[in-house]
Amino acid sequence: NAGVTQTPKFQVLKTGQSMTLQCAQDMNHEYMSWYRQDPGMGLRLIHYSVGAGITDQGEVPNGYNVSRSTTEDFPLRLLSAAPSQTSVYFCASSPEGLGGNTIYFGEGSWLTVV
Amino acid sequence: GENVEQHPSTLSVQEGDSAVIKCTYSDSASNYFPWYKQELGKGPQLIIDIRSNVGEKKDQRIAVTLNKTAKHFSLHITETQPEDSAVYFCAASRGNSGNTPLVFGKGTRLSVIA
């Protein structure tokens, strides 16, 4: 069982570069989301999706874009990387709603912007 | 919106002792309270959850208590073992009502000393 798969695991970007963090899940979950984790800040929601073709903003969406063309994939795009986007990024999926049942997280993507 | 406060931020206990982590929330409409464990280099994983119609829930060495009147809930780990060392996050949401996402606390780093 692959679960939620994120790539890449580690990435170093220069300020102003763009990149895409990939996320795929094989559990046929309707709900997917992206969080960032910073020291002392816990997990903060960036964007989420309640199904293919539907996305919405979370708590900290600025500087990020998402799309959901299939149930399985939910990529996160950094448009013009800034040092403030240095963080650990987690993709997650859930079968029933965004906050009422188990959320399954990927293993994380460590991003450094220099 | 919801605000979740978590204490302490770090906790060290001797192996075999108990550990208690406390969280408070602000939204009286929140009715779902999960706890996630994050091991080093991994994504968070659900370990136990409680809903507002229940005051306490146990699963082997872990238990969660909820006081809706006071808007606080706690995680209790008894007979701690070295493998309990991790970062623990509490969270709160209105369940699946309106698809409101989880709001996480900032985390507690638990160290179990052998």
Side-chain angles (χ1 to χ4, degrees), chain A residues 99-100, chain B residues 1-2 27-32 92-102:
Chain B
E2 177 65 275
D27 185 356
S28 57
S30 287
N31 56 22
Y32 177 65
S93 81
R94 294 185 176 189
N96 290 331
S97 171
N99 267 327
T100 51
L102 285 173

Side-chain angles (χ1 to χ4, degrees), chain A:
Chain A
N1 290 336
V4 179
T5 303
Q6 292 181 232
T7 56
K9 183 89 171 178
F10 301 97
Q11 183 72 47
V12 179
L13 280 180
K14 293 183 179 178
T15 297
Q17 286 185 320
S18 62
M19 77 157 298
T20 299
L21 298 177
Q22 301 291 345
C23 176
Q25 53 97 4
D26 62 357
M27 298 175 283
N28 202 33
H29 289 168
E30 287 295 321
Y31 301 87
M32 295 188 74
S33 47
W34 277 100
Y35 292 83
R36 62 178 286 173
Q37 182 178 22
D38 302 294
M41 296 296 293
L43 294 154
R44 293 183 293 170
L45 183 65
I46 304 171
H47 283 286
Y48 63 92
S49 169
V50 300
I54 305 169
T55 63
D56 208 343
Q57 296 181 353
E59 179 186 356
V60 288
N62 292 341
Y64 307 95
N65 269 356
V66 292
S67 60
R68 185 96 180 272
S69 57
T70 67
T71 299
E72 294 78 20
D73 300 302
F74 191 43
L76 178 73
R77 296 182 186 86
L78 280 70
L79 309 173
S80 178
S84 61
Q85 294 178 303
T86 294
S87 189
V88 184
Y89 292 86
F90 289 98
C91 180
S93 73
S94 52
E96 297 177 29
L98 289 172
N101 284 284
T102 306
I103 294 178
Y104 298 85
F105 287 89
E107 300 228 316
S109 294
W110 273 253
L111 176 66
T112 301
V113 183
V114 298

Side-chain angles (χ1 to χ4, degrees), chain B residues 85-97:
Chain B
S85 294
V87 178
Y88 292 81
F89 292 98
C90 63
S93 81
R94 294 185 176 189
N96 290 331
S97 171

Side-chain angles (χ1 to χ4, degrees), chain B residues 65-82:
Chain B
T65 58
L66 171 65
N67 183 327
K68 283 218 74 179
T69 302
K71 292 189 211 163
H72 67 70
F73 57 112
S74 300
L75 177 71
H76 304 255
I77 306 174
T78 59
E79 300 173 19
T80 53
Q81 301 168 4

